[in-house]
Amino acid sequence: MKLIKLVLFLLTPLFLLSCSDDNDPVQESKGDYEFGYFITNEGPFQNGSGTLTFVGDDGNVQQEVYKSVNGENLGNIVNSMFIDGDRAYIVVNNSSLIVVVDRNTMEKLAVIQGDEIKNPRHFVVAEGKGFVSNWGDPFDPSDDFIAVVDLDANEVRATIPVGEGPERMLATSEGLMVALQGGFNFNNQVVLIEPTTNQVIRTIEVGDVPNSLQADGAGNVWVLCAGKPSYADVETSGALYKIQLSDFSSTSKVFELVTDHPGLLNFDAGQLFYHLNGQIYRMSPGASEFPEEGITGLEGFYYSMTVANGELYGTDAGDFASEGIVKVFNVNSGALLNTIEAGIVPGQVVFP
């Protein structure tokens, strides 16, 4: 009897372990790039190729991850990247193509190119379709358009003519909003596209050179306008517009000085963030005035800026010919948390 009890005692842990394994199957990894974020690097202007840097949640930094997996370059210039589920769409400007990859493995799935992709800028998904802002011929102000992509076939199914210089896009409850920054010239409009019909249904006039769009989760879209620069025919001041999606009425706050040209609008944790004259400013959406002082510790002339989860990621392109860096700060304390080596001209930090 003692022998039987001893055998049962020894076998019980194995039985429990077996049951535990059956009830809790091990989740297989989707790929080497499942956990972390990407940095797009434009690469040398008019020659060479742009690249992708991957920063893992474990802190490991890998350069040229697309080339290391696929054995080929992305092209010139890597302007932006958009992640939709397990797919990523890499927009390559001068090469006029969009590279579709599995964002977990970086394996190339398709290339979207042809006459309907010409000087592409940004990609976004709305109503199950992809939308790409295109400058067309940058010297022709009348041929700019939005390309509509079938995400299953990875092919352009339609194009939507818009005004000059379509750049940033934002999918909202009322449709797709597109900022017309102006390309080689200067524009002052935001258009609303109905994504199911591929039609422009509204045009909203804002300040000169709208460069950023952000939704605040309360039914408003904020549009930051840089204003015309000093080399324009007439320099104009920057402005911040709030567009209410319920009726598309807009209100604006204009920066007092004509020489103030803000950019890089972000929204995080209920606050707006923007860059102006080497300072980073934080502003409540309900504020009646612009903040007078920037956030201490975040000073810098960043090429791009992303604020997410209480952290600011500012890219520094350096001399635009050698590898740049990305600085990571705590937006509340201003403390520098990390400095990450990137490729040539780091242009965008992209989270899944």
Side-chain angles (χ1 to χ4, degrees):
M1 180 66 70
K2 290 183 180 181
L3 180 60
I4 294 175
K5 288 182 178 180
L6 177 61
V7 171
L8 290 174
F9 176 80
L10 294 174
L11 289 177
T12 297
L14 295 176
F15 174 77
L16 293 175
L17 180 61
S18 176
C19 291
S20 176
D21 287 346
D22 289 341
N23 294 330
D24 301 305
V26 177
Q27 295 293 326
E28 293 186 6
S29 171
K30 292 183 178 181
D32 293 338
Y33 310 106
E34 181 179 2
F35 301 108
Y37 62 89
F38 297 90
I39 303 167
T40 63
N41 305 295
E42 294 182 2
F45 185 66
Q46 290 188 335
N47 63 77
S49 174
T51 62
L52 287 182
T53 299
F54 178 73
V55 184
D57 287 349
D58 59 1
N60 185 38
V61 179
Q62 301 178 56
Q63 307 294 344
E64 299 193 24
V65 293
Y66 174 84
K67 185 175 182 179
S68 68
V69 171
N70 297 284
E72 62 182 26
N73 291 322
L74 278 167
N76 182 264
I77 292 171
V78 175
N79 189 74
S80 61
M81 177 180 180
F82 184 86
I83 295 177
D84 179 46
D86 288 336
R87 289 191 174 190
Y89 300 84
I90 306 165
V91 181
V92 189
N93 178 235
N94 284 355
S95 297
S96 288
L97 53 85
I98 298 162
V99 181
V100 186
V101 299
D102 182 314
R103 72 100 171 165
N104 300 298
T105 66
M106 274 294 107
E107 179 185 357
K108 182 175 72 172
L109 303 176
V111 176
I112 306 170
Q113 59 186 335
D115 294 339
E116 293 85 8
I117 299 293
K118 190 171 184 180
N119 281 315
R121 307 293 295 171
H122 295 276
F123 192 103
V124 72
V125 171
E127 296 295 329
K129 297 186 286 189
F131 294 85
V132 188
S133 54
N134 290 263
W135 279 11
D137 182 346
F139 296 101
D140 184 349
S142 65
D143 72 340
D144 300 42
F145 63 96
I146 306 297
V148 184
V149 176
D150 181 324
L151 297 180
D152 293 323
N154 291 311
E155 294 179 356
V156 176
R157 298 303 192 198
T159 58
I160 307 168
V162 294
E164 185 178 14
E167 280 281 338
R168 298 282 182 174
M169 299 175 289
L170 181 67
T172 75
S173 60
E174 302 303 316
L176 180 67
M177 302 188 79
V178 184
L180 304 183
Q181 185 170 325
F184 281 2
N185 294 302
F186 311 108
N187 210 329
N188 64 345
Q189 296 177 338
V190 172
V191 297
L192 179 70
I193 292 174
E194 171 51 63
T196 58
T197 63
N198 301 333
Q199 298 293 319
V200 174
I201 58 175
R202 190 178 292 270
T203 299
I204 306 164
E205 187 171 313
V206 291
D208 292 325
V209 195
N211 58 31
S212 321
L213 296 169
Q214 292 289 335
D216 63 8
N220 304 305
V221 170
W222 295 82
V223 184
L224 188 61
C225 306
K228 292 183 181 180
S230 58
Y231 58 80
D233 52 351
V234 177
E235 187 174 10
T236 59
S237 180
L240 180 64
Y241 277 73
K242 181 178 75 171
I243 300 174
Q244 293 179 301
L245 293 176
S246 58
D247 59 4
F248 292 98
S249 61
S250 66
T251 56
S252 67
K253 299 180 179 70
V254 179
F255 288 78
E256 294 182 1
L257 301 176
V258 174
T259 54
D260 280 348
H261 302 295
L264 309 179
L265 183 67
N266 279 256
F267 184 81
D268 184 59
Q271 298 289 306
L272 295 163
F273 297 84
Y274 62 89
H275 177 270
L276 175 64
N277 300 331
Q279 300 286 328
I280 305 300
Y281 293 87
R282 173 171 40 206
M283 174 181 166
S284 169
S288 58
E289 302 291 339
F290 290 116
E292 294 184 359
E293 297 181 356
I295 304 174
T296 302
L298 302 187
E299 300 86 357
F301 289 88
Y302 303 116
Y303 187 62
S304 75
M305 181 179 85
T306 299
V307 183
N309 302 316
E311 295 179 348
L312 182 146
Y313 300 75
T315 70
D316 184 349
D319 61 4
F320 289 84
S322 52
E323 285 73 13
I325 59 174
V326 176
K327 294 183 178 180
V328 185
F329 299 89
N330 181 299
V331 295
N332 294 313
S333 67
L336 178 63
L337 304 176
N338 199 4
T339 299
I340 301 165
E341 294 183 1
I344 298 174
V345 191
Q348 185 185 23
V349 173
V350 187
F351 291 93

